[in-house]
Amino acid sequence: MIKKTIILFICLFSVWTVYLILFNKDMSFLPHQRLENTTKAQSFMYDKQDDINSVIVGSSLSCMINDISGIYNLAFARQSSADGINMVLHENRKNIKTVFIENNLLPARSDKTFFNDLYSTIPYQLKKNIVSFRDGKQFISMVGHYWGIASNDVYNIFRDKLELMLKDEAPDRTPAIPTTSINIEEEDIDEIQDTIGYEAKPGIDMGLFNRMIEKRYNELSVPYTAEEIDKLKESFKETKELVEELEKKGIKVVFLEMPINNKLVNTARKNRHRELVKEVFSPSKYDYIELPPNYKTYFTTDGIHLTHKEAIRYTKYFKKKVEELSSE
């Protein structure tokens, strides 16, 4: 019996591996951001991507940029652009010509543990040569995901039927869309009519949301002290070295800024931060994709992360600016 079980497992594992190789499927059903970051990194490391000529690096803010032909999004949630840059340098691909660096959260510090885990010798060789060893592509991950979907569907069916029996009417599952007061200039109103109501996720406590924005606004409105400025300038050292390494490989560096909540964009700290970035990376030497002209009309889920709809809108703007840079 044990022997048959082992043989069956080996057969299933082999079929799963062949399926992944043939169709390059990514069964990435991950419980937290670290594993999601690892899956994205491993896809960049192992999958064939000869059509990729540019890479986006950054934090969870630029993670929101949608897929664009020829551009790989190597931004990591709760991490920094340094991790993406280190991967680009390590992989040393000749087809990578441009790296777009999110500057919202510069300076960037490398996560040495993340990098070392990715390139640890034995796991690296296993995952490089056997697709089903890679994070997000395991057979067990797929089984667990679909089991979760099936059990949740069964639960919802029985719950709705029970409520229908008790209430003698169909339950209303329509999510509540919050209303919120948004300070926007009159000329912007027509442009954002289709996005009103997306400043926060459906059903969120708007009182809590507004208090959160107010707290961030108060924090960002306090000017940097001279000591803080000195520490920030010193912290740019690693980022500057990484950018110089990219340039030595003939890779063009372009900086981009992601839109955030309108109230937070021009606070004292955000404005001074932009100045610092441009002091270290002069606009006379580097290209910048600045905030969209209509940045005040972008909505977020928490003040700094774009909603899904707005991420699509920003992606279109970003793509247009990339095409303009390419034509210069």
mmCIF file of all heavy atoms in Angstrom, residues 41 77 90 146 158 175 177 295 317 325:
data_model
loop_
_atom_site.group_PDB
_atom_site.id
_atom_site.type_symbol
_atom_site.label_atom_id
_atom_site.label_comp_id
_atom_site.label_asym_id
_atom_site.label_seq_id
_atom_site.Cartn_x
_atom_site.Cartn_y
_atom_site.Cartn_z
ATOM 1 N N ALA A 41 9.754 37.220 -7.612
ATOM 2 C CA ALA A 41 11.201 37.205 -7.828
ATOM 3 C C ALA A 41 11.626 35.947 -8.579
ATOM 4 O O ALA A 41 12.431 36.004 -9.516
ATOM 5 C CB ALA A 41 11.921 37.285 -6.484
ATOM 6 N N ALA A 77 6.204 44.339 -2.131
ATOM 7 C CA ALA A 77 5.439 44.876 -1.011
ATOM 8 C C ALA A 77 6.255 44.793 0.272
ATOM 9 O O ALA A 77 6.917 43.788 0.539
ATOM 10 C CB ALA A 77 4.140 44.097 -0.845
ATOM 11 N N HIS A 90 22.321 41.107 -10.307
ATOM 12 C CA HIS A 90 22.767 39.724 -10.158
ATOM 13 C C HIS A 90 22.450 38.893 -11.398
ATOM 14 O O HIS A 90 23.268 38.081 -11.841
ATOM 15 C CB HIS A 90 22.112 39.089 -8.930
ATOM 16 C CG HIS A 90 22.652 37.727 -8.603
ATOM 17 N ND1 HIS A 90 23.798 37.547 -7.875
ATOM 18 C CD2 HIS A 90 22.212 36.481 -8.920
ATOM 19 C CE1 HIS A 90 24.044 36.259 -7.747
ATOM 20 N NE2 HIS A 90 23.094 35.583 -8.372
ATOM 21 N N TYR A 146 -8.042 25.376 -4.483
ATOM 22 C CA TYR A 146 -9.347 24.977 -5.004
ATOM 23 C C TYR A 146 -10.232 24.351 -3.927
ATOM 24 O O TYR A 146 -11.448 24.452 -3.981
ATOM 25 C CB TYR A 146 -9.178 24.040 -6.200
ATOM 26 C CG TYR A 146 -8.752 24.786 -7.440
ATOM 27 C CD1 TYR A 146 -7.481 24.630 -7.979
ATOM 28 C CD2 TYR A 146 -9.607 25.707 -8.046
ATOM 29 C CE1 TYR A 146 -7.075 25.350 -9.094
ATOM 30 C CE2 TYR A 146 -9.216 26.434 -9.160
ATOM 31 C CZ TYR A 146 -7.948 26.248 -9.678
ATOM 32 O OH TYR A 146 -7.549 26.969 -10.777
ATOM 33 N N PHE A 158 -25.305 27.303 1.318
ATOM 34 C CA PHE A 158 -26.131 26.914 2.464
ATOM 35 C C PHE A 158 -26.526 28.117 3.310
ATOM 36 O O PHE A 158 -27.641 28.190 3.816
ATOM 37 C CB PHE A 158 -25.386 25.884 3.329
ATOM 38 C CG PHE A 158 -25.484 24.484 2.795
ATOM 39 C CD1 PHE A 158 -24.420 23.907 2.134
ATOM 40 C CD2 PHE A 158 -26.665 23.751 2.937
ATOM 41 C CE1 PHE A 158 -24.510 22.617 1.617
ATOM 42 C CE2 PHE A 158 -26.768 22.455 2.435
ATOM 43 C CZ PHE A 158 -25.691 21.883 1.770
ATOM 44 N N PRO A 175 -22.584 45.512 -1.453
ATOM 45 C CA PRO A 175 -21.699 46.182 -0.499
ATOM 46 C C PRO A 175 -22.022 47.663 -0.397
ATOM 47 O O PRO A 175 -22.422 48.295 -1.370
ATOM 48 C CB PRO A 175 -20.306 45.983 -1.105
ATOM 49 C CG PRO A 175 -20.549 45.802 -2.555
ATOM 50 C CD PRO A 175 -21.882 45.087 -2.662
ATOM 51 N N ILE A 177 -21.319 51.431 -0.349
ATOM 52 C CA ILE A 177 -20.305 52.338 -0.878
ATOM 53 C C ILE A 177 -20.286 53.584 -0.011
ATOM 54 O O ILE A 177 -21.292 54.270 0.122
ATOM 55 C CB ILE A 177 -20.600 52.732 -2.343
ATOM 56 C CG1 ILE A 177 -20.699 51.494 -3.212
ATOM 57 C CG2 ILE A 177 -19.532 53.684 -2.857
ATOM 58 C CD1 ILE A 177 -19.421 50.708 -3.330
ATOM 59 N N TYR A 295 -3.102 64.612 -10.700
ATOM 60 C CA TYR A 295 -2.815 63.759 -9.541
ATOM 61 C C TYR A 295 -3.812 63.945 -8.392
ATOM 62 O O TYR A 295 -4.022 63.049 -7.577
ATOM 63 C CB TYR A 295 -1.390 64.004 -9.034
ATOM 64 C CG TYR A 295 -1.167 65.359 -8.397
ATOM 65 C CD1 TYR A 295 -1.409 65.570 -7.039
ATOM 66 C CD2 TYR A 295 -0.692 66.427 -9.149
ATOM 67 C CE1 TYR A 295 -1.203 66.805 -6.461
ATOM 68 C CE2 TYR A 295 -0.479 67.666 -8.579
ATOM 69 C CZ TYR A 295 -0.734 67.857 -7.233
ATOM 70 O OH TYR A 295 -0.529 69.087 -6.659
ATOM 71 N N TYR A 317 -1.187 56.138 -17.865
ATOM 72 C CA TYR A 317 -0.358 57.355 -17.848
ATOM 73 C C TYR A 317 1.124 56.979 -17.911
ATOM 74 O O TYR A 317 1.900 57.554 -18.687
ATOM 75 C CB TYR A 317 -0.649 58.164 -16.588
ATOM 76 C CG TYR A 317 0.367 59.246 -16.303
ATOM 77 C CD1 TYR A 317 0.343 60.453 -16.997
ATOM 78 C CD2 TYR A 317 1.361 59.049 -15.340
ATOM 79 C CE1 TYR A 317 1.286 61.435 -16.758
ATOM 80 C CE2 TYR A 317 2.308 60.040 -15.089
ATOM 81 C CZ TYR A 317 2.268 61.228 -15.794
ATOM 82 O OH TYR A 317 3.206 62.208 -15.555
ATOM 83 N N LEU A 325 9.413 58.857 -23.596
ATOM 84 C CA LEU A 325 10.848 58.786 -23.333
ATOM 85 C C LEU A 325 11.564 57.978 -24.402
ATOM 86 O O LEU A 325 12.696 58.297 -24.794
ATOM 87 C CB LEU A 325 11.093 58.170 -21.946
ATOM 88 C CG LEU A 325 10.737 59.034 -20.728
ATOM 89 C CD1 LEU A 325 10.849 58.212 -19.452
ATOM 90 C CD2 LEU A 325 11.647 60.253 -20.657
#
